[in-house]
Amino acid sequence: MIDVFISHADEDTEWAGKLAERLARHGVKIFFDEWSLLPGDVVVHKVDTAIRESRNGIAIVSPASAASPRALEEYAALARASATRGLRFIPVLIGELPLAPSTENRVWRDFRGVSGRHYEEKVAELAAAVLGLEPEVGGPVPWENLWAGLPSRPRPVTEPDRHRIVICYVPADAEYGRRLAAQLHAAGLPVWSLGDLRPGDEEFWVIRRQLRHAIAVIVLMSPQSQDSDDITRMILEGRAYGRTFFPILLLGDRNYHLAATWYVDARDGRPLGREELAMLARLHEADAAGSPLDPVEVLPAPPARPAVRAVRLPGAFSLHRLDAYLAEGEFGYADLFTTDLLLEAASRSAEGWMREKDGDGLPAELLAGVDAVWSARCHGRQGFAVQSSLARVRRGTYSEFLELATACGWCDPEDGASPGDYRDFAERGGGRIGFFPTLRNPQNERYVDWYDQWTETVLAVHLRSRAWEGTR
């Protein structure tokens, strides 16, 4: 087998040859046309055979390659091989031009302006990826295009070979993230962090795969982390699948998506202590035994009055993010985000639910904005207004909630039962009119009274929504 097929335009032959030489020094078996094609070879047949026999493909992306019919054909062949048989396809950018959608959705490498030691480090990383070597624990994070968009092709999210503790962080917190990954690894705990993404990975798929089966999700909280759409997506993905969260506060306020969760205060930069490592070890041991523990059995309860408040975000910024999730068809993200946004606006993030009197404090313009986004993106089929048209809440009674829940498809019309697992529940929504937003909060559903909390939240929001419905 060939380790890697290198595709390039004729104008980039010198640059590609230098890369091939450096990779060969790392023991990589290469197909490079300048070396591998002999006089008399039928080029098309030789190239097709080489791509079939290669485990990896590197495409040198440049203005010249974008204008080269041969380079474009090889690019397409490598992309097909990636989709059909799992070839690791690694785009390497060396010139200024927009990336193709299939390139944006995988971990590519930017070699523009790179030289010296930095160049050799990038080459060594490419060599490790094509040879299938394990990345360094807490290694560099490919921030060049993390979670750039939707995956380029439908792909089932399969279970990884091993469940791991997943660490999520932004570049500003990378140093602590690397030290934390090394600490957990030294303690014998299985760890995955963003630094484990390798060139050629479809990052959207890989990150989801790890999060959906995580033993625990550690989120490093800081102002930069709060502003990161990548981190928000990771939190929403983990919450939708009922993962256990283990937030660590490094700076500023707590992330309001995790405001109802116990957290580690590490604003002094300290590593995890013995007791905190023991919590993670218990979660790992139970998961390895096939009997995952409920977080309430391991983690302390959140303080009634946290020492550090949760951050607050401008409504316009939040509505923009909500609109982006709906535009991508990420209804689960949009649903959880809507709940968090309203809880934060009612100053009930730490509790994770609201009462009727809390709903009175919700800004009518925020409710109207949320409803407008849902309605616009779902062609009038989702949102508070359409829910009210199915079953109107006037007095805030349980019977009104049950009528609304039945009309929206949240509950069984026979016995009022609703699936206890948020993921299964949300997947029932489909195209059903009025199903979203549901206002369910998976973080609170580990408590026995979660259904009552959900009921009160829905009634509080719908009673308050009457303040703007009559003015539309």
Side-chain angles (χ1 to χ4, degrees):
M1 288 289 289
I2 300 168
D3 290 325
V4 65
F5 179 102
I6 298 180
S7 171
H8 64 94
D10 290 340
E11 293 86 340
D12 300 323
T13 297
E14 183 178 353
W15 195 96
K18 177 185 175 184
L19 176 65
E21 289 176 1
R22 294 300 196 279
L23 289 173
R25 293 180 186 178
H26 288 273
V28 177
K29 297 177 181 178
I30 298 166
F31 182 93
F32 179 56
D33 54 8
E34 297 293 314
W35 303 348
S36 306
L37 293 176
L38 301 175
D41 282 342
V42 179
V43 175
V44 173
H45 295 167
K46 192 74 178 279
V47 167
D48 287 345
T49 299
I51 290 177
R52 284 197 300 271
E53 294 179 352
S54 295
R55 294 185 296 106
N56 305 271
I58 289 177
I60 309 300
V61 181
S62 70
S65 69
S68 166
R70 178 179 63 83
L72 292 174
E73 287 178 3
E74 291 176 355
Y75 185 102
L78 292 172
R80 282 195 301 273
S82 175
T84 57
R85 64 176 179 83
L87 172 139
R88 178 175 292 276
F89 181 27
I90 309 171
V92 168
L93 186 62
I94 66 170
E96 300 294 336
L97 80 166
L99 290 171
S102 58
T103 301
E104 289 182 340
N105 292 292
R106 64 182 67 246
V107 178
W108 45 275
R109 276 296 171 263
D110 190 348
F111 274 77
R112 291 173 296 184
V114 175
S115 61
R117 181 175 60 84
H118 193 195
Y119 174 85
E120 297 299 341
E121 288 174 351
K122 286 197 172 240
V123 171
E125 185 192 14
L126 285 179
V130 301
L131 292 173
L133 303 179
E134 288 295 319
E136 175 189 355
V137 174
V141 178
W143 295 110
E144 291 158 333
N145 66 323
L146 181 63
W147 210 310
L150 295 175
S152 55
R153 61 188 174 89
R155 186 178 181 186
V157 180
T158 56
E159 186 171 356
D161 59 346
R162 188 183 189 191
H163 295 179
R164 293 171 173 82
I165 297 167
V166 176
I167 307 176
C168 306
Y169 55 90
V170 295
D173 305 324
E175 178 56 34
Y176 187 95
R178 286 192 288 268
R179 287 191 281 115
L180 177 61
Q183 182 187 20
L184 298 186
H185 182 75
L189 297 173
V191 184
W192 188 90
S193 73
L194 301 174
D196 292 314
L197 284 169
R198 296 189 297 161
D201 279 347
E202 293 181 68
E203 72 271 19
F204 189 92
W205 182 84
V206 173
I207 294 170
R208 277 193 152 169
R209 186 184 191 211
Q210 294 295 336
L211 286 170
R212 290 186 183 185
H213 300 279
I215 298 167
V217 180
I218 296 178
V219 178
L220 302 188
M221 299 188 294
S222 68
Q224 295 87 347
S225 171
Q226 177 70 71
D227 292 341
S228 168
D229 186 51
D230 289 325
I231 296 299
T232 299
R233 288 172 183 267
M234 293 177 204
I235 292 172
L236 296 176
E237 183 76 20
R239 287 178 56 199
Y241 279 78
R243 299 302 91 193
T244 296
F245 280 89
F246 198 96
I248 301 177
L249 179 62
L250 300 183
L251 185 67
D253 301 326
R254 294 173 297 131
N255 189 301
Y256 80 96
H257 294 290
L258 300 171
T261 305
W262 171 85
Y263 66 97
V264 175
D265 190 341
R267 287 174 292 171
D268 57 358
R270 70 175 180 86
L272 293 184
R274 182 180 303 175
E275 292 184 3
E276 293 150 354
L277 288 173
M279 295 176 196
L280 292 171
R282 284 190 63 196
L283 291 169
H284 164 52
E285 291 164 3
D287 182 87
S291 302
L293 293 173
D294 191 292
V296 298
E297 302 178 63
V298 181
L299 306 182
R305 293 185 177 181
V308 181
R309 66 182 180 87
V311 73
R312 307 203 69 155
L313 290 180
F317 175 83
S318 298
L319 292 177
H320 176 76
R321 186 170 281 180
L322 173 63
D323 183 69
Y325 296 153
L326 288 171
E328 296 168 7
E330 293 285 0
F331 286 87
Y333 290 1
D335 189 38
L336 295 175
F337 190 85
T338 296
T339 303
D340 289 348
L341 177 59
L342 297 184
L343 289 173
E344 186 266 342
S347 299
R348 293 286 290 182
S349 293
E351 292 77 11
W353 63 286
M354 71 177 78
R355 304 156 298 187
E356 180 178 339
K357 65 179 182 180
D358 302 311
D360 292 340
L362 285 172
E365 61 274 16
L366 176 61
L367 283 171
V370 169
D371 185 73
V373 172
W374 276 98
S375 180
R377 285 295 180 184
C378 301
H379 309 289
R381 297 172 61 88
Q382 306 296 341
F384 300 127
V386 71
Q387 290 174 353
S388 294
S389 72
L390 298 174
R392 194 166 184 82
V393 174
R394 293 181 172 84
R395 299 181 302 278
T397 63
Y398 176 71
S399 61
E400 287 181 329
F401 167 79
L402 191 57
E403 182 182 356
L404 177 65
T406 302
C408 294
W410 301 340
C411 297
D412 188 293
E414 298 296 326
D415 57 13
S418 179
D421 182 88
Y422 174 80
R423 180 189 59 184
D424 294 338
F425 167 78
E427 288 178 351
R428 286 174 46 180
R432 181 163 187 144
I433 295 176
F435 190 89
F436 293 109
T438 70
L439 301 176
R440 276 186 59 166
N441 182 3
Q443 284 182 280
N444 276 30
E445 292 178 8
R446 57 185 180 268
Y447 304 119
V448 294
D449 58 347
W450 75 266
Y451 191 93
D452 294 335
Q453 294 176 354
W454 178 38
T455 299
E456 291 204 44
T457 301
V458 169
L459 292 173
V461 170
H462 274 267
L463 284 171
R464 177 58 178 158
S465 70
R466 295 173 60 188
W468 59 266
E469 282 183 1
T471 64
R472 291 186 304 118

